[in-house]
Amino acid sequence: MPAPYAARPEQSRGRRHPEAPHPYRTDYQRDRDRVVHARAFRRLEDKTQVFTRRYSDHFRNRLTHTIEVAQISRTIAAQLGLEVDLVEALALVHDIGHPPFGHAGEKALDAAMRAHGSFFDHNLHALRIVEDFELRYAAFRGLNLTFEVREGIIKHSRDCSRREFPELSEYLLDQRPPLEAQLIDLTDEIAYNTADLDDGYEAHILKLDDIRAGLPVFNRFYEQAEARYPEVREKLKFNEALKAMLDRMVSDLISTACRRIGDAGVKSLADVRACPTRLAAFSDEVETERLQSKSFLHEKLYYSDALRPEKSGAERVVTELFDYWTARPESLPPSYREQTAREPVHRVVCDYIAGMTDSFILRHHQELCGNGGSAAL
Ligand code: MG
């Protein structure tokens, strides 16, 4: 039974190019299916989340991370009576605009664009992918997704102001997005805050004692696992603690969102949109734990000495190829060369690089710039 404040498909503001309804799939189910069948979605398999394949081939990549976010999001959405298919479509599309090499790649691409007076933002890039770059249909460019999925792509992690992004004014920038979109940034954090502890520990970069000392919530669950399973090996107790941590965040998000919806007197999607603040949130206590996990991972994993060579290698590969193609636009593939007639060269090169997988960009770097920067990748 959907909640009265769910974003029901029959309330959708529709698609840019009107299409006949499908006989047995709702518009949000079709959007989810369109994302799954997109080329950009398949490329997530070969894009770094935190660790490149050099470490292990059983660590998360951006595709398996995306599937974890979708799983967590579906569970929470169902409990809140939200539109599960819309939540799933938004979860599956949420990282589609990420360039190769995770945050190092994004940082390098953004820095390269800033030198040209512009910038790179993965959510805006995701919108360009689904609106323009995916070529699957005879009748239109892009995936022709519903308004709510496109809106969710740009608004899931933050509100965008009209002054900052005048080109996005069609997306009701003075209103909150539906709860289905508000969830995604938080489920993304639940997924990676736990998964990165797991992979960081398996990679022997994070030590159990450091995690226990740095994250009191993890330590509490680890002690419970030790008391309950004194004989099992450390990793199994670690898994129990991590699972309990994930469960705590999920349950807290459900109960806190419920409470805030009740407190705000929200009874419809219009009420969700008109609310001055977002309704999807953690409690103060779990929010403190979330911030602790985030800063712990920043310090001990993302910016650790162990990952530094990969990071600088990734930045160098992206920067050198960006410079190579902006200086030689005639060596871009034909479709991108044509695009330079309509858009500045740096924007075209940025689009080309942002779409690449890790292996594709490494192959091009080796071919065009030599092997120097990619040795650590
Ligand atoms: Mg993500």
Side-chain angles (χ1 to χ4, degrees):
M1 187 60 187
Y5 42 77
R8 304 288 297 149
E10 55 274 17
Q11 294 173 292
S12 171
R13 288 170 179 254
R15 306 182 186 281
R16 212 178 272 294
H17 309 279
E19 293 181 54
H22 190 273
Y24 49 84
R25 286 183 301 161
T26 68
D27 278 343
Y28 296 146
Q29 287 172 341
R30 289 175 93 180
D31 282 0
R32 175 200 59 203
D33 301 346
R34 287 176 187 199
V35 170
V36 169
H37 289 268
R39 287 171 71 165
F41 183 76
R42 293 196 289 280
R43 292 198 300 265
L44 293 173
E45 190 206 356
D46 188 14
K47 293 203 183 210
T48 293
Q49 177 68 14
V50 174
F51 293 96
T52 58
R53 291 262 160 94
R54 181 171 77 89
Y55 268 87
S56 166
D57 53 12
H58 63 248
F59 287 178
R60 276 88 175 166
N61 58 47
R62 218 164 261 284
L63 179 63
T64 62
H65 158 73
T66 293
I67 294 170
E68 291 182 359
V69 174
Q71 178 270 311
I72 295 168
S73 304
R74 276 198 311 266
T75 302
I76 296 170
Q79 277 306 302
L80 291 172
L82 299 177
E83 185 57 38
V84 175
D85 298 321
L86 174 57
V87 169
E88 191 174 17
L90 288 171
L92 292 172
V93 82
H94 90 280
D95 268 354
I96 216 167
H98 269 284
F101 304 135
H103 286 284
E106 183 171 19
K107 204 174 128 208
L109 203 49
D110 184 55
M113 286 296 276
R114 281 183 195 275
H116 292 266
S118 188
F119 63 95
F120 176 78
D121 174 277
H122 68 91
N123 290 330
L124 295 181
H125 187 69
L127 190 64
R128 289 162 70 81
I129 290 174
V130 303
E131 284 269 77
D132 195 25
F133 301 160
E134 285 286 325
L135 299 176
R136 292 184 54 80
Y137 302 97
F140 42 76
R141 289 181 73 92
L143 301 179
N144 197 29
L145 301 176
T146 55
F147 174 90
E148 291 72 21
V149 174
R150 286 178 281 128
E151 178 197 22
I153 287 174
I154 50 162
K155 290 206 291 202
H156 73 259
S157 46
R158 65 180 180 121
D159 293 328
C160 310
S161 75
R162 201 181 293 269
R163 201 167 50 86
E164 203 182 350
F165 298 106
E167 73 277 21
L168 300 178
S169 59
E170 70 178 295
Y171 292 108
L172 311 173
L173 298 183
D174 48 353
Q175 296 183 20
R176 308 287 80 72
L179 271 158
E180 285 79 355
Q182 295 185 25
L183 279 187
I184 301 301
D185 203 40
L186 305 175
T187 51
D188 187 23
E189 288 224 12
I190 294 174
Y192 71 70
N193 277 341
T194 48
D196 294 347
L197 285 176
D198 191 22
D199 290 346
Y201 172 85
E202 290 272 357
H204 306 291
I205 297 175
L206 299 177
K207 304 279 173 278
L208 179 67
D209 288 346
D210 290 341
I211 301 174
R212 293 183 65 178
L215 302 177
V217 61
F218 177 91
N219 187 47
R220 204 165 68 238
F221 287 129
Y222 192 86
E223 281 172 357
Q224 287 171 12
E226 260 191 327
R228 188 159 177 207
Y229 305 105
E231 306 298 331
V232 306
R233 65 192 175 90
E234 185 182 288
K235 181 65 193 353
L236 295 176
K237 289 181 272 199
F238 177 95
N239 291 350
E240 290 295 321
L242 206 59
K243 193 158 63 73
M245 212 169 126
L246 193 153
D247 202 50
R248 176 175 164 81
M249 286 189 274
V250 167
S251 303
D252 182 80
L253 177 50
I254 294 167
S255 59
T256 309
C258 264
R259 197 187 66 237
R260 289 165 67 94
I261 290 164
D263 289 352
V266 162
K267 298 212 164 33
S268 66
L269 175 59
D271 290 347
V272 172
R273 287 194 171 283
C275 223
T277 54
R278 292 185 173 226
L279 296 160
F282 295 112
S283 65
D284 291 347
E285 195 181 341
V286 170
E287 177 64 10
T288 307
E289 294 165 7
R290 179 189 75 82
L291 293 171
Q292 267 171 355
S293 302
K294 214 176 157 90
S295 58
F296 179 84
L297 285 164
H298 266 88
E299 187 194 338
K300 305 280 188 197
L301 184 62
Y302 309 145
Y303 293 96
S304 64
D305 290 344
L307 292 188
R308 192 159 300 141
E310 301 195 282
K311 220 180 260 308
S312 49
E315 284 174 16
R316 194 168 150 202
V317 167
V318 169
T319 308
E320 288 183 359
L321 275 177
F322 185 95
D323 292 345
Y324 181 91
W325 276 309
T326 40
R328 301 170 190 79
E330 69 283 359
S331 59
L332 285 165
S335 61
Y336 288 93
R337 228 165 34 223
E338 282 163 25
Q339 215 184 312
T340 61
R342 296 184 298 276
E343 289 187 288
V345 172
H346 62 269
R347 166 58 61 194
V348 177
V349 172
C350 177
D351 286 343
Y352 185 37
I353 289 179
M356 292 179 180
T357 60
D358 290 10
S359 12
F360 188 86
I361 195 171
L362 279 175
R363 272 205 308 278
H364 275 79
H365 187 259
Q366 274 160 14
E367 201 178 295
L368 301 173
C369 310
N371 196 15
S374 51
L377 298 163

